[in-house]
Amino acid sequence: MLHINDVSKQFQVPPTLALDRISATLYPHQTVAIVGPSGCGKSTLLRIVSGLDHATSGQLEWQVDNPHVALMPQNDGLFQWRTVVDNVALPLFIHKLPPATARQAALDLLAQFELDEFAHAYPDQLSGGMRSRVAFLRTMLAEPTLIALDEPFGALDSMTRAGIQRWLVSAARQRALSILLVTHDVEEAITLADRVLVMSARPGRIIADYPIDLPNRTDPNLRTDPRFLHALTSIRVALEQGAERR
């Protein structure tokens, strides 16, 4: 569990208050999405949670020992000269595990998600959706306390994106993952998340926390479900209201 307590972020050049007293609680084995207007500080908050930036005030309070956050950015970051299995095994190589042990762990994970036939391919031989899956498995193999995703599927076409969203829902359930997702796509947020946090225009504040209760996230017809459409309308209204706040 992570408590985000009154976190603010002030940039000095130019003087900008990016985040203003953000508070939220992230629970284990839950996917939380953050949506908000462009420039509201979504990615800044993700960087603070990931330990890549520091809050000007406020604090993060983890309820676990030695928390580890793994960040998957917008670019998949796969190394073109490494095979798929070696890309997935990279966190274990970094931790100095024997290469054979690291590769076997990566192969086991690839097999669990039916990607083992691509283990010895190179990234430039993969589709965009496949690259995203490989990058996510690499992040997962690090066994983080929290996986932070910063608009990781933004470059994919809509059909590929829908497929990987369903895949990610299944992966999160199978491994009981804790995920914090930043996205500009409200439909993606509702599809993937157990809760959606809505941020206002800069300085970013959390103005709504919507629980999402949908029975079958992997249903291709999910977006015609009345509950999906109700959540979509409610969140869009909150975004419009938040965009007007200054």
Side-chain angles (χ1 to χ4, degrees):
M1 181 185 296
L2 168 63
H3 296 295
I4 303 172
N5 297 322
D6 287 328
V7 164
S8 296
K9 178 64 177 181
Q10 174 80 45
F11 290 103
Q12 300 302 320
V13 181
T16 305
L17 180 61
L19 299 173
D20 185 21
R21 294 167 293 170
I22 296 286
S23 291
T25 298
L26 308 183
Y27 297 97
H29 317 314
Q30 191 177 74
T31 297
V32 176
I34 304 174
V35 298
S38 179
C40 72
K42 301 185 297 294
S43 293
T44 298
L45 179 59
L46 199 72
R47 287 177 58 83
I48 290 171
V49 171
S50 302
L52 299 177
D53 204 345
H54 299 285
T56 305
S57 62
Q59 62 180 349
L60 305 180
E61 183 182 348
W62 292 92
Q63 299 298 306
V64 296
D65 295 329
N66 302 315
H68 170 214
V69 179
L71 174 64
M72 179 176 163
Q74 296 178 28
N75 185 314
D76 61 51
L78 298 180
F79 293 110
Q80 302 303 317
W81 60 90
R82 288 182 178 270
T83 60
V84 164
V85 66
D86 279 359
N87 268 287
V88 173
L90 185 62
L92 303 186
F93 292 150
I94 291 172
H95 284 90
K96 307 298 184 183
L97 266 71
T101 302
R103 289 192 177 97
Q104 188 58 55
L107 284 169
D108 290 345
L109 188 59
L110 286 163
Q112 180 182 351
F113 291 98
E114 301 179 348
L115 294 172
D116 46 322
E117 65 180 294
F118 300 97
H120 301 293
Y122 287 87
D124 62 3
Q125 298 172 299
L126 305 179
S127 66
M130 193 70 69
R131 290 176 65 108
S132 293
R133 288 175 171 87
V134 170
F136 187 79
L137 292 186
R138 178 182 61 188
T139 306
M140 189 190 301
L141 195 61
E143 297 188 346
T145 310
L146 178 69
I147 295 176
L149 306 178
D150 190 359
E151 299 195 25
F153 314 130
L156 302 179
D157 63 83
S158 59
M159 186 173 295
T160 302
R161 188 168 181 159
I164 198 169
Q165 287 167 356
R166 292 192 292 271
W167 180 87
L168 180 58
V169 167
S170 296
R173 287 176 176 171
Q174 286 183 46
R175 305 284 288 207
L177 303 175
S178 302
I179 298 174
L180 180 61
L181 166 73
V182 161
T183 179
H184 67 277
D185 186 333
V186 178
E187 293 189 8
E188 179 171 79
I190 297 169
T191 300
L192 296 177
D194 301 298
R195 290 162 53 209
V196 177
L197 305 181
V198 180
M199 290 181 63
S200 70
R202 189 174 62 240
R205 305 179 181 93
I206 293 177
I207 57 173
D209 184 344
Y210 283 97
I212 306 296
D213 182 18
L214 293 168
N216 185 3
R217 303 297 183 91
T218 59
D219 183 353
N221 299 315
L222 175 69
R223 298 186 183 195
T224 63
D225 188 307
R227 288 164 291 192
F228 185 99
L229 297 173
H230 176 72
L232 181 62
T233 300
S234 299
I235 293 170
R236 283 178 171 169
V237 168
L239 281 169
E240 291 174 4
Q241 294 172 343
E244 298 171 356
R245 297 182 60 175
R246 293 290 178 181

